Amino acid sequence: MVDYHAAHHQCSAGGAQTYMEQENDWDRDLLLDPAWEKQQRKTFTAWCNSHLRKAGTQIENIEQDFRDGLKLMLLLEVISGERLPKPERGKMRVHKINNVNKALDFIASKGVKLVSIGAEEIVDGNAKMTLGMIWTIILRFAIQDISVEETSAKEGLLLWCQRKTAPYKNVNVQNFHISWKDGLAFNALIHRHRPDLIDYDSLRKDDPVTNLNNAFEVAEKHLDIPKMLDAEDIVGTARPDEKAIMTYVSSFYHAFSGAQKAETAANRICKVLAVNQENEQMMEDYEKLASDLLEWIRRTIPWLENRTQEKTVNDMQAKQEDFRDYRCVHKPPKVQEKCQLEISFNTLQTKLRLSNRPAFMPSEGRMMSDINGAWHTLEGAEKGYEEWILSEIRRLERLEHLAEKFHQKAAIHESWTDGKEAMLTQKDYATSTLSEVKALLRKHEAFESDLAAHQDRVEQIAAIAQELNELDYYDSASVNARCQKICDQWDVLGALTLSRKESLERTEKQLESIDELYLEYAKRAAPFNNWMEGAMEDLQDMFIVHNIEEIQGLITAHEQFKSTLPEANKEREAIQSIQAEVQKIAQSNGIKLSGANPYTSITPESIDNKWEKAMAMVPLRDSALQDELNKQNSNDTLRAKFATQANAVGAYIQEKMEEIGRISIEMNGTLEDQLTHLKEYQQSIMSYMPEINKLEGFHQHIQEALIFDNQYTSYTMEHLRVGWEQLLTTIARTINEVENQILTRDAKGISQEQLYEYRASFNHFDKDHSGALQAEEFKACLISLGYDVENDKQGDGEFARIMGIVDPNGTGAVTFQAFIDFMSTETTDTDTADQVIASFKILAADKNYITADELRRELPPDQAEYCIARMAPYTGPDAIPGALDYMSFSTALYGESDL
């Protein structure tokens, strides 16, 4: 007996392998189990005939028909597709042995160790050896190439069966013997690949013979798998033969190998579609968030641009409160949305680059530049609206002050004119004596003097009314009506005064007796009385100041006024002495006084009363000025509080902006560590928010106090708000950059060590810490990583190609993200449009189009419908109704540039 293990040791060394050594127990058993031998004979015979019939022959008895070696050599040629040496046609034993040896030599040349199998045993018809040889052939040519997840042939075939039958009830494939006895596993394999051939739900676990016959008959009729076993052979034995079952099952595997390729193709397409669906969802989310934000800005800007004037300060202050509510409540969430929108946009573009998809172009009007432009317009409208509110409050305060002053002066004037028309129209001089007429004339002259003194007040009233009109005072109509009434009455008084004077002068020559003292009293009392009235007006006058210097100026003016009071009191005493002299002369000369000064209605009592009122107003004015001084001191304290907090906040923001600039350059550790550190740093910055709110509180107090300047700080609330928003946005962008690096690393397969190397090289050449490399710096960085670009000429060679990738806009600068994207594409591989097209071609059975039914059969339902909805009809020359164009669909997924 020839030992082919020894004879062919040299030819199989280094490349040979033991096929299913655990299964080669047949040569260690003296006898085969009779039931197993029967099953092996039947199965192996059917297997051999399934191949021999391709050559137009078959065998009847497996140990007899291979004895001359001719059909054995023919079988090997059919299953291998190779030519064996020409067989010897003689019928002698030596010819048969030589032919069998040629067959065994061919088997050994394929790396198979033939243990204890010799040509003599085959020629002698040894059933055990013959079955062992056929099993070796089956292992090498039918089972060896079956490998699932790098397992051995047997394990791979078992794993394939388990996966295919996993969804089916009552099927649990654990081996190649009793797991197949009830026939359900055979039926499940067929139904999984050809559901149209098997009604699986109608099968019963307690009817194995029917199940097995159904599977074997369907396989033979529709799948060209010959019937290798009888149902009774399997059901009638406690443990079916593993070799027979494996041989039978391997025929199913090879029959469905095309479906396996389709499944692989379908898996690839599903992966690509899942990425595309996720990207489209992110695009939809971006579009919605951008639309919502732009819509909010669109609705908000007209509100901020509305300049509808209010009538009162309280109404405008209500608008100011609404604006504060907008700044503190409504706008901050939108700032976060804008920041999140920018982060989402950057993340989406990174994912598209990593999956070789075209860059995302938002719909018209929703680009980040559009959002930034709208945001800039919004902030401009905010600034203008806030300035307008403050100017309107000042204007309305001025208007209310002027209106109050107008009504005060008008009331005083109307009080003075009350009864003057009746006085000027009376005819008392007609029956008076000469002295009485002279007295009336002097009295009239005094009245004219008083009238002239009041001319200034009338002009002031008219001037205030004019100013109220120019400032668009809401109640200008009533002001104008009252002013017009005063002016009309003033004209009437002027005409009546002139008429009465003329009447008195006509009788002046008849009236000579005049009391000079009364006249002198009247002449001095009138201006003094006017002075007191003016002083009382000034003491009651409202004032508006904005700082300590202005109130101190008013206090100084008031002190100067008080310094004139002693002289005024002397004048009052002098006037009163005139009246006393009148009484003295009348008494000494026995003159009977009529009881009133004929030249004036100003009595000594009225002078004293007004003097007392004026003196009482002085301390009130003192108190009002002191209160205003206290208010301005309080305002100054508010300025100092705001300035102290603003200077601290401003310095903090500046410090953190510089820190985050350094952190983004000096980060080390794993990307996850960096991300954790950055988020902790972000949380630390967010913990400073109470200080910002505290500053906002000070700012609100400042505005409520109508303070418009602050000499203690150069910071404004608007400036600090923008700085704070920039700080939050910067840290968020830095976090997003690290997240994108993690995404790049995970998606592209870049190791942590590679990222360290790329970051270290980039930072080394980023001398100015700008976060970008100029062209020469970038060239040096590439050289340090082993790229041969040192001798490139400007605009030519490898370096020009690389610059076109990392700096497509020709700015001359390369960012770290562009650098990482370039290095990842250089060092890793990804799915391409060609691969996706090839996968679709497999599912379409090499057609140039695919149908909806094929997509629904091969892909999960949601992804199948996704493709159907997006594929255009196929219009090629071989098109059929319902054909879909998968070529253009794949092109659209990746963009024209990838094909």
Side-chain angles (χ1 to χ4, degrees):
M1 182 174 63
V2 179
D3 186 350
Y4 273 85
H5 174 66
H8 297 281
H9 175 73
Q10 183 176 0
C11 70
S12 61
Q17 55 182 321
T18 302
Y19 296 100
M20 305 295 292
E21 289 184 357
Q22 67 273 28
E23 299 298 332
N24 289 337
D25 55 357
W26 57 271
D27 61 347
R28 288 186 288 273
D29 298 331
L30 294 176
L31 292 173
L32 287 171
D33 180 277
W36 287 4
E37 180 179 354
K38 178 181 178 182
Q39 292 176 19
Q40 286 187 20
R41 283 175 178 277
K42 186 174 295 184
T43 304
F44 291 178
T45 299
W47 183 85
C48 291
N49 284 334
S50 70
H51 295 285
L52 287 172
R53 69 185 179 189
K54 298 175 184 176
T57 186
Q58 63 179 9
I59 61 173
E60 298 293 338
N61 188 306
I62 196 166
E63 68 267 28
Q64 295 298 323
D65 292 349
F66 286 137
R67 290 179 62 183
D68 60 2
L70 295 176
K71 288 188 177 180
L72 179 60
M73 294 178 69
L74 181 61
L75 173 66
L76 290 173
E77 286 184 342
V78 171
I79 61 177
S80 70
E82 301 180 24
R83 298 290 296 178
L84 271 68
K86 186 175 181 181
E88 298 180 12
R89 294 296 179 180
K91 298 186 179 297
M92 298 178 63
R93 178 179 175 84
V94 67
H95 297 142
K96 296 179 181 179
I97 291 175
N98 288 340
N99 286 339
V100 173
N101 275 331
K102 290 178 182 180
L104 295 178
D105 286 342
F106 179 79
I107 296 171
S109 71
K110 298 302 180 181
V112 179
K113 294 181 179 180
L114 296 168
V115 180
S116 301
I117 298 178
E120 289 85 349
E121 286 83 356
I122 305 301
V123 172
D124 290 340
N126 187 311
K128 175 182 176 183
M129 291 300 176
T130 303
L131 291 175
M133 177 190 66
I134 297 301
W135 175 240
T136 301
I137 293 172
I138 292 172
L139 282 176
R140 171 59 183 84
F141 293 101
I143 299 179
Q144 172 193 347
D145 295 333
I146 300 175
S147 178
V148 179
E149 295 186 355
E150 301 181 0
T151 60
S152 67
K154 176 180 180 180
E155 292 170 344
L157 183 59
L158 185 63
L159 180 58
W160 178 80
C161 293
Q162 289 171 338
R163 286 186 175 178
K164 294 300 181 180
T165 61
Y168 293 87
K169 64 181 180 180
N170 297 325
V171 177
N172 183 17
V173 177
Q174 298 296 327
N175 49 55
F176 285 111
H177 38 79
I178 61 175
S179 294
W180 303 82
K181 282 190 67 174
D182 59 13
L184 292 178
F186 284 107
N187 283 276
L189 280 180
I190 297 173
H191 185 270
R192 179 63 182 268
H193 296 90
R194 291 292 302 276
D196 56 310
L197 301 180
I198 298 286
D199 182 7
Y200 185 84
D201 292 334
S202 67
L203 302 178
R204 301 195 338 265
K205 186 174 179 64
D206 59 358
D207 190 4
V209 173
T210 300
N211 298 340
L212 289 166
N213 284 330
N214 181 67
F216 296 163
E217 290 169 5
V218 168
E220 186 170 36
K221 181 177 180 181
H222 297 283
L223 303 178
D224 198 26
I225 299 174
K227 186 176 181 180
M228 299 183 183
L229 289 170
D230 291 326
E232 292 75 15
D233 294 338
I234 297 176
V235 175
T237 183
R239 184 176 183 269
D241 179 60
E242 276 193 321
K243 298 182 181 64
I245 298 296
M246 281 183 65
T247 302
Y248 212 157
V249 172
S250 69
S251 297
F252 283 87
Y253 176 87
H254 290 295
F256 296 131
S257 60
Q260 187 71 20
K261 292 180 182 179
E263 182 177 345
T264 301
N267 288 338
R268 178 185 294 276
I269 292 171
C270 289
K271 177 181 176 183
V272 171
L273 294 179
V275 171
N276 212 57
Q277 287 173 304
E278 182 180 355
N279 291 342
E280 284 190 359
Q281 184 61 50
M282 290 187 68
M283 294 176 191
E284 291 177 8
D285 293 344
Y286 172 90
E287 291 278 354
K288 183 179 186 307
L289 187 56
S291 297
D292 292 345
L293 182 58
L294 288 170
E295 175 61 19
W296 177 81
I297 294 173
R298 185 192 65 76
R299 293 196 313 269
T300 303
I301 287 178
W303 176 69
L304 293 172
E305 292 178 342
N306 182 12
R307 298 295 186 267
T308 302
Q309 295 178 336
E310 300 295 340
K311 295 180 180 180
T312 66
V313 173
N314 288 338
D315 292 338
M316 283 307 299
Q317 287 175 339
K319 279 194 172 182
Q320 187 181 43
E321 193 61 35
D322 289 342
F323 181 69
R324 287 197 193 102
D325 186 61
Y326 156 78
R327 291 302 298 268
C328 297
V329 177
H330 299 291
K331 185 184 177 186
K334 299 304 177 182
V335 173
Q336 293 297 323
E337 286 183 16
K338 177 176 176 291
C339 179
Q340 183 59 45
L341 197 62
E342 183 176 345
I343 289 172
S344 298
F345 181 80
N346 292 338
T347 300
L348 176 58
Q349 298 294 34
T350 298
K351 293 187 68 177
L352 290 172
R353 286 196 304 272
L354 294 177
S355 57
N356 286 338
R357 272 35 171 209
F360 171 51
M361 289 295 293
S363 57
E364 186 176 357
R366 294 184 177 87
M367 296 286 290
M368 280 307 303
S369 58
D370 298 319
I371 294 170
N372 289 331
W375 193 264
H376 180 73
T377 303
L378 174 73
E379 292 185 331
E382 280 181 21
K383 186 174 184 298
Y385 188 63
E386 187 173 30
E387 291 173 352
W388 173 75
I389 287 177
L390 293 175
S391 67
E392 276 296 291
I393 290 176
R394 293 178 199 160
R395 182 182 71 84
L396 290 173
E397 282 189 331
R398 171 69 176 161
L399 282 175
E400 290 187 1
H401 170 67
L402 286 175
E404 181 64 27
K405 192 169 184 178
F406 171 83
H407 290 300
Q408 185 184 53
K409 287 185 176 293
I412 293 172
H413 177 75
E414 289 166 348
S415 176
W416 177 83
T417 59
D418 187 32
K420 292 297 189 290
E421 287 189 32
M423 182 268 293
L424 291 173
T425 56
Q426 66 183 343
K427 305 295 184 180
D428 53 345
Y429 56 83
T431 57
S432 299
T433 65
L434 179 61
S435 60
E436 289 173 337
V437 171
K438 285 186 176 292
L440 289 174
L441 185 57
R442 297 297 182 270
K443 180 180 179 181
H444 189 71
E445 289 175 355
F447 173 76
E448 285 184 318
S449 177
D450 197 9
L451 189 67
H454 277 275
Q455 176 69 34
D456 182 57
R457 181 179 289 113
V458 174
E459 292 175 353
Q460 289 179 10
I461 291 171
I464 294 173
Q466 179 63 29
E467 188 171 359
L468 287 171
N469 277 282
E470 291 174 353
L471 293 177
D472 197 20
Y473 181 52
Y474 79 96
D475 199 18
S476 294
S478 64
V479 169
N480 292 337
R482 191 171 186 180
C483 180
Q484 187 61 46
K485 183 178 179 181
I486 290 172
C487 291
D488 292 342
Q489 186 185 41
W490 186 253
D491 292 339
V492 171
L493 288 178
L496 292 176
T497 299
L498 180 60
S499 175
R500 182 172 177 83
K501 182 177 181 180
E502 290 173 351
S503 299
L504 290 172
E505 285 177 345
R506 283 195 301 268
T507 59
E508 183 181 14
K509 293 181 180 179
Q510 303 171 6
L511 306 173
E512 295 177 352
S513 181
I514 260 188
D515 191 335
E516 294 294 338
L517 290 175
Y518 271 170
L519 183 59
E520 183 181 357
Y521 173 89
K523 288 184 177 180
R524 294 182 68 174
F528 184 72
N529 184 67
N530 282 331
W531 175 84
M532 285 195 297
E533 289 180 349
M536 286 191 290
E537 284 188 43
D538 291 340
L539 289 171
Q540 297 179 82
D541 190 20
M542 298 174 62
F543 50 81
I544 297 176
V545 295
H546 299 95
N547 53 53
I548 293 177
E549 289 76 13
E550 291 180 2
I551 188 59
Q552 286 177 339
L554 291 178
I555 291 174
T556 300
H558 183 60
E559 292 300 324
Q560 291 175 351
F561 165 73
K562 289 197 294 184
S563 68
T564 65
L565 292 179
E567 287 298 324
N569 191 42
K570 289 180 182 179
E571 176 64 14
R572 182 185 65 82
E573 291 173 348
I575 293 172
Q576 297 293 49
S577 68
I578 294 174
Q579 182 65 21
E581 183 66 20
V582 169
Q583 296 293 337
K584 181 179 178 181
I585 293 173
Q587 290 175 2
S588 61
N589 294 285
I591 300 173
K592 184 179 181 181
L593 299 175
S594 61
N597 190 325
Y599 302 114
T600 182
S601 60
I602 301 172
T603 66
E605 291 79 10
S606 67
I607 290 177
D608 286 341
N609 288 337
K610 288 183 179 179
W611 179 260
E612 289 174 2
K613 288 182 180 178
M615 292 306 100
M617 290 179 182
V618 169
L620 294 177
R621 184 72 169 181
D622 287 335
S623 176
L625 291 173
Q626 185 60 43
D627 289 344
E628 184 62 30
L629 178 60
N630 294 338
K631 176 184 175 183
Q632 291 303 323
N633 283 328
S634 174
N635 288 353
D636 211 47
T637 301
L638 287 177
R639 289 188 182 95
K641 283 184 178 180
F642 176 82
T644 299
Q645 184 72 2
N647 290 336
V649 170
Y652 177 84
I653 291 174
Q654 181 64 30
E655 175 189 350
K656 294 306 176 183
M657 286 297 287
E658 293 173 357
E659 279 185 14
I660 192 60
R662 292 195 300 271
I663 288 174
S664 64
I665 295 174
E666 300 171 359
M667 287 189 297
N668 50 38
T670 67
L671 291 176
E672 285 74 11
D673 291 342
Q674 295 174 22
L675 185 61
T676 300
H677 175 64
L678 284 171
K679 288 186 175 180
E680 291 173 351
Y681 186 77
Q682 184 185 44
Q683 193 62 35
S684 171
I685 289 176
M686 292 305 298
S687 68
Y688 194 73
M689 192 65 192
E691 297 299 317
I692 302 296
N693 294 334
K694 180 180 178 182
L695 183 64
E696 287 282 4
F698 288 157
H699 179 62
Q700 182 167 349
H701 293 324
I702 286 281
Q703 287 197 317
E704 287 172 351
L706 296 177
I707 298 171
F708 305 109
D709 59 339
N710 195 334
Q711 68 273 28
Y712 300 121
T713 181
S714 60
Y715 291 109
T716 66
M717 193 66 233
E718 186 65 27
H719 177 211
L720 293 175
R721 285 172 185 150
V722 172
W724 179 250
E725 291 175 5
Q726 288 177 343
L727 176 60
L728 295 182
T729 300
T730 300
I731 183 64
R733 285 174 178 167
T734 305
I735 289 173
N736 182 239
E737 178 184 340
V738 175
E739 290 174 336
N740 284 344
Q741 290 182 34
I742 292 174
L743 187 62
T744 300
R745 180 198 66 193
D746 295 341
K748 292 295 188 177
I750 298 177
S751 68
Q752 188 70 46
E753 291 73 17
Q754 285 176 304
L755 280 178
Y756 277 144
E757 180 183 6
Y758 298 158
R759 170 57 81 179
S761 298
F762 189 91
N763 288 346
H764 175 76
F765 292 101
D766 185 16
K767 304 296 184 183
D768 57 357
H769 305 297
S770 64
L773 300 181
Q774 300 302 311
E776 290 303 316
E777 294 173 331
F778 180 57
K779 178 183 284 188
C781 180
L782 289 176
I783 293 172
S784 73
L785 294 173
Y787 278 79
D788 186 15
V789 295
E790 187 172 10
N791 298 319
D792 277 359
K793 295 182 180 179
Q794 184 65 27
D796 189 22
E798 178 67 5
F799 183 66
R801 179 190 73 83
I802 295 173
M803 283 300 291
I805 297 172
V806 299
D807 183 25
N809 297 324
T811 63
V814 181
T815 65
F816 181 69
Q817 186 60 51
F819 171 61
I820 284 296
D821 288 343
F822 167 73
M823 294 305 296
S824 66
T825 56
E826 289 288 300
T827 57
T828 59
D829 189 21
T830 59
D831 289 333
T832 65
D834 287 339
Q835 290 173 320
V836 173
I837 290 174
S839 297
F840 273 119
K841 197 173 187 69
I842 291 173
L843 300 186
D846 287 333
K847 300 191 299 295
N848 291 325
Y849 59 84
I850 194 166
T851 66
D853 288 340
E854 288 172 329
L855 287 172
R856 292 190 178 102
R857 184 174 68 241
E858 302 293 347
L859 299 180
D862 60 333
Q863 294 183 332
E865 298 305 323
Y866 177 85
C867 290
I868 293 168
R870 287 163 174 76
M871 281 187 183
Y874 176 73
T875 57
D878 54 342
I880 65 172
L884 300 174
D885 188 353
Y886 61 78
M887 293 283 290
S888 61
F889 175 71
S890 302
T891 302
L893 284 179
Y894 286 88
E896 295 289 349
S897 61
D898 190 57
L899 294 178

